[in-house]
């Protein structure tokens, strides 16, 4: 299995080679030269597998150079129930991922049972195990990322305390819930550094990208990526779409719908890849909030994200992203893997702030099975209240975005799985506003607001962040 760039550059790089490589040399993102296929017979043989066993079967298709015994060990050690102990159901305490049925064939795929209470744990715990594996030669010394709160806490939980790696995480000031901020900034591991940026998440992400694309600078500082642009993160996320499907259907071949929060598009793209591999996905609903550039694109073919400093602060802040980092991968696939066209559209996005597909190109988008839904603050409150009253279940506002679109847009009679983002305890004010109740935190987070915090505050300026990286790594001052 070799990997190529979304902007046309062919390479001989393997899964191990791009493990912590965020961007290709031409500025594109890495994707497989071709997607492996999974037929109905193989899907049938996967029914009943544990999550760890299924992860092994799916991931090995993308990482053929990794010794199978080693990959099996990593999957088994990562996806043990005692690493995902925050399940909310008495009889599912041995599950990594759980599926809760609601009504009219709508289900909630609960992914936030890991150590940081976010779906990101499923990929981050795996990445940390990969980093420790012997095959990962030429590894970076510092992982640089931008977070809206949850991914950063997940990465720090996975890599915190590791002696051979440092994590530097940028986050937007006052753009997270109080729980998210307390969780992120209270990390005391010596190898973890949090930088609070006076700006939006898009500005944080732009800074990270500009630094990592300066390959000479990044290599001299031993920098690697940890954002959703990483292909290894997407591979790990593909697994739970197969797992959810096999849990949901009565027979292999039955079609389902997935409703996925849009965010940085990495989660949605993982579902898209599963569909390309042969998973019977009738429709993928990409769910956005008031920052609805992706919704407009999937409805019209025009992609016009707001400038970074105009991104709206909403009550589902992890989706407050105007320019989704992994969207280019979907664009590459749906346009027939035409790297030159993707490069031209990326250039228009930089120079004009937007691009519009041709009528024929937009027809391909409409035929792809990827659609969109959008919701707002009152919609989220409605869903959170409904989930509490009808199912005695609390959900966070991002999951509410997925449920709103999933409930109202799913085809009648077709099983629709709405993908969870984080546990509702991360948004206590929103949950109380909607339900009148307070969600008690898990025992290991009972003191999260009392923990001392440690962070560096900087302006939304790449030069300032570079100076801080130099100080932290000691390279620029040597």
């Amino acid at each position: 299995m070799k990997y190529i760039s979304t902007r046309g550059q062919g390479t001989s790089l393997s899964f191990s080679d791009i493990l912590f490589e965020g961007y290709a040399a031409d500025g594109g993102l890495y994707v497989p030269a071709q997607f492996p296929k999974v037929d109905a017979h193989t899907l049938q043989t996967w029914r009943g597998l544990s999550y760890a066993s299924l992860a092994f079967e799916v991931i090995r298709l993308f990482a053929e150079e990794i010794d199978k015994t080693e990959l099996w060990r990593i999957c088994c050690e990562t996806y043990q129930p005692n690493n995902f102990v925050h399940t909310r159901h008495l009889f599912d305490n041995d599950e990594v991922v759980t599926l809760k049925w609601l009504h009219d064939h709508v289900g909630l795929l609960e992914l936030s049972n890991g150590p940081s209470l976010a779906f990101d744990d499923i990929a981050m715990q795996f990445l940390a195990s990969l980093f420790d594996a012997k095959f990962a030669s030429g590894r970076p010394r510092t992982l640089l990322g931008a977070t809206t709160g949850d991914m950063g806490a997940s990465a720090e939980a996975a890599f915190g305390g590791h002696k051979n790696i440092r994590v530097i995480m940028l986050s937007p000031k006052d753009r997270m819930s109080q729980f998210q901020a307390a969780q992120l900034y209270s990390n005391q591991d010596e190898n973890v550094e949090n930088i609070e940026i006076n700006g939006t998440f898009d500005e944080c992400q732009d800074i990270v990208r500009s630094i990592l694309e300066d390959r000479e600078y990044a290599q001299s500082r031993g920098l690697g990526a940890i954002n959703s642009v990483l292909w290894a993160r997407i591979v790990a996320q593909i697994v739970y779409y197969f797992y959810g499907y096999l849990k949901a259907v009565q027979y292999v071949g039955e079609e389902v719908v997935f409703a996925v929060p849009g965010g940085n598009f990495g989660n949605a793209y993982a579902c898209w890849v599963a569909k390309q591999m042969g998973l019977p996905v009738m429709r993928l609903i990409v769910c956005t909030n008031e920052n609805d550039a992706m919704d407009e694109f999937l409805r019209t073919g025009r992609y016009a994200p707001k400038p970074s400093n105009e991104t709206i602060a909403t009550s589902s802040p992890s989706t407050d992203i105007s320019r989704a980092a992994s969207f280019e991968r979907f664009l590459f696939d749906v346009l027939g893997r035409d790297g030159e066209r993707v490069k031209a559209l990326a250039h228009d996005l930089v120079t004009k702030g937007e691009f519009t597909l041709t009528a024929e190109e937009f027809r391909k988008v409409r035929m792809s099975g990827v659609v969109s839904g959008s919701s707002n603050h009152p919609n989220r409150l409605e869903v959170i209240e409904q989930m509490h009253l009808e199912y005695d279940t609390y959900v966070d506002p991002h999951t509410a975005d997925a449920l709103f679109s999933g409930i109202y847009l799913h085809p009648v009679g077709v099983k629709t799985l709405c993908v969870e983002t984080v546990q509702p305890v991360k948004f206590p004010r929103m949950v109380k506003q909607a339900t009148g109740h307070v969600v008690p935190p898990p025992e290991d987070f009972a003191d999260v607001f009392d923990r001392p915090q440690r962070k560096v505050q900087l302006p939304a300026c790449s030069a300032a962040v570079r100076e801080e990286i130099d100080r932290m790594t000691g390279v620029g001052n040597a």
Side-chain angles (χ1 to χ4, degrees):
M1 173 70 71
K2 299 301 179 184
Y3 290 84
I4 60 175
S5 168
T6 53
R7 298 189 185 179
Q9 183 182 57
T11 76
S12 59
L13 298 177
S14 67
F15 180 84
S16 311
D17 295 327
I18 65 168
L19 188 54
F20 293 102
E21 287 288 327
Y23 303 96
D26 62 359
L29 302 177
Y30 288 110
V31 290
Q34 58 186 20
F35 293 122
K37 299 298 181 182
V38 176
D39 58 25
H41 173 73
T42 301
L43 263 182
Q44 184 65 44
T45 64
W46 287 356
R47 296 201 77 167
L49 291 181
S50 68
Y51 195 91
S53 298
L54 184 62
F56 168 76
E57 295 292 347
V58 173
I59 294 171
R60 72 187 182 94
L61 299 176
F62 295 94
E64 296 173 337
E65 79 279 9
I66 300 179
D67 178 75
K68 291 182 180 180
T69 302
E70 179 76 352
L71 183 60
W72 172 252
R73 179 191 65 79
I74 291 171
C75 289
C76 288
E77 289 182 359
T78 300
Y79 297 116
Q80 291 216 14
N82 60 9
N83 290 337
F84 295 84
V85 298
H86 295 111
T87 54
R88 285 139 285 172
H89 308 290
L90 180 62
F91 301 108
D92 290 327
N93 57 6
D94 61 343
E95 295 277 1
V96 173
V97 169
T98 52
L99 176 59
K100 178 183 178 66
W101 287 111
L102 306 177
H103 67 278
D104 295 337
H105 295 95
V106 175
L108 177 61
L109 193 62
E110 296 180 340
L111 305 176
S112 303
N113 300 325
S116 78
L117 311 179
F119 83 95
D120 308 83
D121 289 325
I122 292 177
M124 287 300 177
Q125 292 291 311
F126 178 71
L127 275 176
S129 297
L130 279 176
F131 184 87
D132 289 337
K134 296 178 181 178
F135 75 88
S137 59
R139 298 175 297 187
R141 299 185 299 275
T142 299
L143 299 178
L144 179 66
T147 181
T148 53
D150 301 310
M151 183 282 289
S154 179
E156 293 172 8
F159 288 94
H162 286 225
K163 295 182 179 179
N164 300 320
I165 193 71
R166 177 186 288 105
V167 177
I168 299 178
M169 195 64 59
L170 279 62
S171 55
K173 183 180 180 181
D174 299 330
R175 294 271 183 154
M176 298 180 282
S177 75
Q178 289 184 334
F179 188 106
Q180 287 175 309
Q183 180 185 25
L184 183 67
Y185 299 141
S186 63
N187 187 290
Q188 299 297 318
D189 290 309
E190 292 184 359
N191 66 322
V192 168
E193 303 283 354
N194 278 300
I195 301 177
E196 184 183 64
I197 297 295
N198 188 17
T200 66
F201 170 76
D202 285 314
E203 290 174 307
C204 294
Q205 187 160 254
D206 289 344
I207 291 171
V208 169
R209 175 160 193 157
S210 69
I211 290 173
L212 293 177
E213 284 188 328
D214 185 345
R215 301 180 78 82
E216 181 179 348
Y217 176 86
Q219 290 174 5
S220 67
R221 272 67 175 175
L223 300 180
I226 196 62
N227 269 34
S228 63
V229 294
L230 284 183
W231 174 252
R233 279 191 60 186
I234 289 174
V235 168
Q237 291 169 203
I238 293 169
V239 178
Y240 50 70
Y241 290 104
F242 279 91
Y243 189 80
Y245 173 85
L246 293 171
K247 280 277 190 181
V249 300
Q250 291 183 317
Y251 61 90
V252 168
E254 179 183 354
E255 289 191 314
V256 302
V257 172
F258 283 100
V260 186
N264 239 341
F265 210 82
N267 211 4
Y269 186 72
C271 184
W272 166 259
V273 173
K275 177 178 171 66
Q276 302 314 297
M277 293 171 68
L279 195 67
V281 178
M282 173 188 289
R283 186 175 298 168
L284 164 59
I285 305 173
V286 179
C287 311
T288 66
N289 62 13
E290 292 88 336
N291 295 291
D292 56 359
M294 190 59 61
D295 179 56
E296 181 186 8
F297 171 79
L298 291 170
R299 292 177 185 275
T300 69
R302 176 177 178 260
Y303 187 55
K306 296 179 179 68
S308 298
N309 59 358
E310 294 180 14
T311 301
I312 302 169
T314 76
S315 56
S316 54
S318 296
T319 316
D320 292 348
I321 300 171
S322 291
R323 294 187 304 281
S326 282
F327 170 56
E328 186 171 311
R329 288 186 166 109
F330 171 70
L331 198 63
F332 178 67
D333 290 337
V334 82
L335 296 183
R337 307 204 121 198
D338 184 344
E340 288 301 317
R341 178 58 175 157
V342 170
K343 185 186 298 185
L345 293 174
H347 180 263
D348 284 348
L349 190 59
V350 171
T351 57
K352 301 176 183 177
E354 64 177 81
F355 64 75
T356 301
L357 300 184
T358 66
E360 176 58 24
E361 289 171 338
F362 183 54
R363 187 189 70 82
K364 294 177 181 178
V365 173
R366 298 294 289 175
M367 295 294 291
S368 70
V370 179
V371 298
S372 64
S374 184
S375 52
N376 56 31
H377 180 71
N379 300 146
R380 290 188 280 277
L381 289 173
E382 173 192 345
V383 169
I384 294 171
E385 180 186 31
Q386 179 186 14
M387 290 295 294
H388 169 62
L389 292 176
E390 295 188 22
Y391 306 105
D392 193 25
T393 295
Y394 295 102
V395 295
D396 73 281
H398 312 86
T399 304
D401 284 329
L403 284 163
F404 181 83
S405 295
I407 289 170
Y408 289 107
L409 296 179
H410 86 284
V412 176
V414 179
K415 290 172 181 169
T416 296
L417 277 60
C418 301
V419 174
E420 182 187 57
T421 303
V422 300
Q423 291 206 10
V425 70
K426 292 197 174 192
F427 294 88
R429 289 185 176 180
M430 184 78 169
V431 172
K432 186 174 182 179
Q433 182 183 1
T435 69
H437 295 272
V438 175
V439 183
E443 185 177 348
D444 50 337
F445 286 98
D447 66 340
V448 68
F449 294 110
D450 300 323
R451 298 172 185 174
Q453 296 188 9
R454 184 168 59 91
K455 61 185 176 182
V456 175
Q457 296 177 311
L458 292 177
C461 170
S462 179
V465 173
R466 288 182 185 231
E467 288 181 10
E468 188 63 24
I469 290 173
D470 289 347
R471 185 192 67 79
M472 291 175 176
T473 61
V475 176
N477 300 323

